[in-house]
Amino acid sequence: VKRGYTAEDDTTFAGGLRMWGAPIDRLTLLADIEQREKNGELAPSVSGQVRILGSRTDGWALGGLGRYKAEGFAEIEGEVELGLLGSYSRQRVYLDANTIVGFGIEEDEADGELLLRVGYDLLDFLRLGVEGRGRWRLSGAEELAGGRNWDAFAGPQVLGHRGFFFGALTGGVSTVGIESSVGWMVVATAGGAAF
């Protein structure tokens, strides 16, 4: 769930659902349904993540991402994203850095995104950290909210896990989907492993 306030006190909510599985080592497949920021419609996406180097025992990994995002269930046109994913984990410290570039299928548009996350395991089941994301329009005439060619979100994060279940709460300052000034956003995530 995302919630944001602008200077005009405009409140928006959005949600989504994700399912994932790893049929073989080094490959994770994902299917998402989420509300698109661009048109407000629920829309599907499918992704594949491949671990290229490293492992959990190494304490680091480098991977690649391929994703197709539709504009809606009745609209096949959308966006293809390619990304480079990096993770580091040592002595209760976690670092994730993702770089993603997206290209419109029927439109001459491209954008880039950088996500950084740092966390520290305060307890065996509780991680505290900070997450930030920046997005930039690389080509095309379409602008983001407020006539900008960029937007960003950053704030503290709390993540808890127990057995097969996990939950996270991230909140902070945001310009995502905000016409003017700076607002705030809260993202709540909950999930678990089926087997």
Side-chain angles (χ1 to χ4, degrees), residues 55-175:
S55 69
R56 183 183 297 271
T57 55
D58 292 335
W60 64 273
L62 184 66
L65 166 76
R67 176 183 295 140
Y68 167 71
K69 298 169 68 173
E71 289 293 332
F73 280 99
E75 302 174 60
I76 194 66
E77 67 271 6
E79 181 181 22
V80 173
E81 293 184 337
L82 302 172
L84 188 61
L85 317 173
S87 291
Y88 173 87
S89 171
R90 288 263 164 83
Q91 298 176 351
R92 304 172 80 95
V93 174
Y94 295 83
L95 173 63
D96 295 308
N98 301 338
T99 302
I100 299 171
V101 178
F103 306 92
I105 292 176
E106 293 188 355
E107 301 169 347
D108 184 23
E109 296 192 355
D111 59 15
E113 184 175 317
L114 177 64
L115 179 129
L116 297 172
R117 181 184 305 119
V118 178
Y120 179 79
D121 278 350
L122 196 62
L123 302 168
D124 289 339
F125 61 89
L126 182 66
R127 182 177 304 165
L128 301 180
V130 177
E131 180 176 310
R133 186 198 81 175
R135 181 174 56 169
W136 297 267
R137 176 72 61 197
L138 301 176
S139 68
E142 187 173 336
E143 297 176 330
L144 297 170
R148 293 184 300 264
N149 63 358
W150 64 273
D151 61 18
F153 164 72
Q157 183 177 74
V158 178
L159 185 143
H161 55 90
R162 187 65 140 185
F164 294 109
F165 302 98
F166 68 90
L169 184 64
T170 308
V173 295
S174 175
T175 61

Side-chain angles (χ1 to χ4, degrees), residues 18 30-34 36 43-47 67-70:
R18 169 176 286 173
L30 303 98
D32 293 83
I33 298 172
E34 65 178 325
R36 292 283 182 259
S45 66
V46 292
S47 309
R67 176 183 295 140
Y68 167 71
K69 298 169 68 173

